[in-house]
């Protein structure tokens, strides 16, 4: 009887503590940390820093960005999965949330159940690009060049499991041509070698390629959306779908997450601040400048965000398994 009462007291205390956290969130003088599981200066880092600034006022808290890169984003992701679920440690991640379950045979967390989904942020189209000296000026000519050079083509990417790696896998499948994959430690060195002609092709996010395309440092052959983009630097580039790769669509998205166990009303406060940020004209302007499309649909809601990621896991799993590539 005494034991049962002790358990009841402890349970009541735990509930009271959780309620206090929820009511007091954000805790005064305690910053909210957005963990980015990639290096500083990359496209996801830029999205996080723009979002932190846009969410600061509606959330009523100082928001800092912490980079915890490594192991294909699993280090930073695991850090948030194991963090105190008080709303002060969040994760901003991209499509890796949907590809990690297939790329890694053993993960220290479960994407589907170890996080509270807070809402989607943006969609980032990809571009098929080449070294400046490649002797093709449109997709038709590129297709002919690919057919003439089978077995000799180098396709760069930013690393195993990166957005550019995934897009490259789909592109090789679409054109029915195996290429020599050249993985780099990040987009920057891959782009440097593409501009210098050390590799032939790459498929990468508009956040990385827009300025290079506009500056004519590389050639662009198509965008991976089903509709043409309106960004000035990319508006004249056809879609790969209209160029003949019917249904080819690869979009790199970003979402916001909290550790499992985060109180529902704390998550709701964060989601409200997120939705306010997504309507901030300055945030929208910054994202559009990167070629990103800010989410305005129902994926801003946690339930729809989670449903979307589940569909992406189902989409990418077979592609990765068919390639027989694992990161561990």
């Amino acid at each position: 009887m005494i034991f049962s009462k002790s358990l009841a007291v402890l349970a009541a205390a735990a509930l009271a503590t959780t309620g206090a956290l929820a009511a007091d969130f954000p805790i005064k003088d305690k910053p909210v940390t957005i963990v980015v599981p990639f290096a500083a200066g990359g496209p996801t880092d830029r999205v996080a820093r723009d979002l932190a600034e846009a969410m600061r006022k509606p959330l009523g808290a100082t928001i800092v960005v912490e980079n915890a890169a490594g192991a294909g984003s699993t280090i930073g992701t695991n850090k948030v999965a194991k963090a105190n679920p008080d709303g002060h440690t969040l994760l901003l991640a991209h499509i890796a949330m949907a590809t990690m379950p297939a790329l890694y045979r053993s993960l220290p967390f479960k994407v589907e159940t170890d996080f509270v989904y807070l809402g989607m942020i943006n969609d980032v189209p990809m571009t098929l690009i080449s070294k400046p000296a490649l002797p093709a000026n449109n997709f038709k000519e590129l297709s002919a060049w690919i057919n003439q050079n089978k077995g000799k083509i180098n396709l760069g990417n930013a690393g195993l499991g990166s957005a550019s790696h995934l897009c490259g896998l789909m592109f090789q499948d679409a054109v029915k041509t195996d290429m020599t994959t050249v993985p780099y430690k990040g987009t920057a060195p891959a782009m440097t070698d593409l501009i210098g002609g050390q590799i032939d092709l790459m498929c990468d996010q508009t956040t990385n390629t827009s300025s290079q395309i506009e500056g004519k440092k590389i050639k662009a052959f198509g965008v991976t959306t089903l509709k043409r983009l309106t960004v000035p630097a990319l508006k004249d580039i056809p879609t790969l779908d209209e160029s003949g790769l019917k249904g080819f669509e690869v979009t790199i998205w970003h979402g916001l997450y909290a550790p499992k166990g985060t109180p529902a009303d704390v998550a709701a406060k964060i989601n409200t601040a997120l939705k306010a940020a997504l309507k901030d004209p300055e945030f929208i302007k910054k994202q559009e400048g990167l070629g990103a499309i800010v989410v305005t649909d129902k994926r801003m809601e946690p339930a729809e965000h989670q449903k979307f990621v589940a569909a992406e896991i189902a989409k990418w799993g077979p592609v990765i398994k068919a390639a027989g590539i694992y990161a561990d």
Side-chain angles (χ1 to χ4, degrees):
M1 188 69 174
I2 294 175
F3 182 67
S4 298
K5 284 183 178 180
S6 298
L7 286 178
V9 169
L10 287 172
L15 286 172
T17 300
T18 301
L21 281 172
D24 297 340
F25 177 82
I27 299 170
K28 186 179 179 181
D29 298 328
K30 182 177 181 180
V32 170
T33 299
I34 295 179
V35 175
V36 175
F38 301 99
T44 301
D45 179 66
R46 294 175 70 178
V47 172
R49 293 180 190 279
D50 288 347
L51 184 70
E53 179 59 28
M55 283 183 64
R56 179 183 57 79
K57 187 174 180 179
L59 192 59
T62 298
I63 303 178
V64 299
V65 174
E66 177 186 332
N67 298 93
S73 82
T74 61
I75 291 175
T77 304
N78 186 51
K79 180 173 184 175
V80 176
K82 305 297 190 291
N84 183 16
D86 62 359
H88 281 268
T89 304
L90 308 177
L91 171 72
L92 193 151
H94 66 19
I95 196 171
M97 291 294 278
T99 59
M100 282 188 290
L103 276 172
Y104 291 85
R105 287 164 289 192
S106 178
L107 285 172
F109 54 83
K110 292 184 178 180
V111 169
E112 300 94 329
T113 58
D114 285 347
F115 298 93
V116 172
Y117 289 65
L118 298 170
M120 298 284 291
I121 301 164
N122 64 15
D123 291 306
V124 183
M126 307 284 283
T127 46
L128 178 64
I129 54 179
S130 82
K131 62 185 181 183
L134 193 132
N137 295 302
N138 54 52
F139 188 76
K140 182 178 180 180
E141 292 179 2
L142 176 65
S143 296
W145 180 84
I146 289 173
N147 288 329
Q148 293 165 5
N149 290 275
K150 288 187 176 182
K152 299 185 291 184
I153 302 170
N154 293 320
L155 178 68
N157 65 57
L160 186 64
S162 66
S164 51
H165 176 223
L166 298 170
C167 186
L169 287 177
M170 287 195 72
F171 180 67
Q172 290 177 81
D173 181 65
V175 297
K176 303 296 186 290
T177 303
D178 289 331
M179 303 175 188
T180 300
T181 300
V182 184
Y184 288 81
K185 293 183 178 180
T187 297
M191 183 64 73
T192 296
D193 274 8
L194 185 71
I195 293 172
Q198 280 73 45
I199 53 174
D200 301 311
L201 299 172
M202 189 160 71
C203 184
D204 205 2
Q205 302 174 59
T206 56
T207 46
N208 295 323
T209 65
S210 296
S211 61
Q212 307 292 355
I213 292 169
E214 190 170 28
K216 301 188 184 303
K217 293 183 179 180
I218 54 176
K219 289 185 176 182
F221 295 94
V223 294
T224 64
T225 49
L226 297 181
K227 292 183 179 180
R228 290 199 184 196
L229 303 178
T230 58
V231 180
L234 307 172
K235 63 182 179 64
D236 295 326
I237 301 175
T239 68
L240 292 175
D241 174 75
E242 71 180 86
S243 296
L245 298 184
K246 293 300 179 184
F248 193 97
E249 183 180 20
V250 181
T251 301
I252 304 306
W253 41 265
H254 292 90
L256 195 64
Y257 309 82
K260 175 183 178 181
T262 300
D265 48 356
V266 168
K269 285 184 179 181
I270 298 170
N271 174 257
T272 297
L274 172 62
K275 287 190 284 190
L278 298 184
K279 295 177 182 177
D280 184 318
E282 188 61 26
F283 177 73
I284 294 171
K285 181 180 178 181
K286 288 179 180 178
Q287 294 302 291
E288 289 178 343
L290 296 173
I293 303 164
V294 175
V295 168
T296 58
D297 55 51
K298 59 186 180 181
R299 291 175 300 160
M300 290 190 292
E301 301 297 340
E304 292 297 329
H305 175 195
Q306 188 162 15
K307 183 193 295 185
F308 175 80
V309 174
E312 287 284 280
I313 291 172
K315 170 185 174 179
W316 285 104
V319 174
I320 294 168
K321 289 175 182 176
I325 298 171
Y326 298 98
D328 59 358

